[in-house]
Amino acid sequence: MPMKPLSSTVQVRAGADVVFALWSDAAGWPEWDPDLDGAELHGPFAVGSSARLKPRGGPSTRIRLTEVTPSRSFSAVCTLPLCRMVFDHLIEPLPDGCRVTHTVRFDGLLAVLFRRLIGPQIARGLPGTMAGLKRAAQALATDEVPGT
C-alpha cells in the first residue's frame, strides 16, 4: 500500500516563468531554501542531469532530474539503499500568479524505514522552503515591473 506523500503548497503572486527560473538555478536554491547549505547542477536543467545537494546539518547527496517541463514542473530522484526519494515540483497557473506544490514520495523496499527516519525532517522543512520560494519569486516579479 503506497504511503501518503509529504507535500506543501503556496500561492505566489508571480508568473510560472519566474518560479521556474528560480528552480532552474540550482546554485541559487540555498538563497531561498533554508534547509540547504549548497547545491550545484552538473549539466543543463534537463532530464538526465544530476545535482549535488548539501542539506543543512546533513551529508551531501546526489539527485538526478527525471522530468522537466519548462514553466510547469520538474521531478528529481535521490537513490537510497533499496529506496528512492522522489521530489515532484508543480506549478499551476492562477489569474493573479500561480500555485506551487512540492511533494516528496518514498518508494521501494525500505521506503517505510526511510520515511520514518527522514520524513519528519522533510515535513518540518517543506513549509519554510515554500515560503522562501514564494518570497524570492514575488521579489523577482516586483523587480521586473518598472516603477514598483
Side-chain angles (χ1 to χ4, degrees), residues 89-114:
H89 306 78
L90 176 67
I91 303 169
E92 299 170 276
L94 297 172
D96 61 343
C98 59
R99 178 180 306 115
V100 182
T101 302
H102 285 198
T103 303
V104 181
R105 293 180 286 120
F106 293 82
D107 297 328
L109 290 174
L110 294 181
V112 171
L113 173 68
F114 282 107

Side-chain angles (χ1 to χ4, degrees), residues 25-78:
D25 176 21
W29 292 353
E31 295 172 15
W32 52 264
D33 186 338
D35 288 337
L36 287 180
D37 280 333
E40 60 183 40
L41 181 63
H42 305 128
F45 194 75
V47 172
S49 290
S50 65
R52 174 87 37 206
L53 305 179
K54 175 61 177 92
R56 196 169 304 282
S60 182
T61 189
R62 184 178 164 269
I63 63 168
R64 183 176 42 83
L65 299 178
T66 57
E67 183 271 328
V68 177
T69 303
S71 296
R72 176 78 176 136
S73 62
F74 87 93
S75 295
V77 172
C78 174

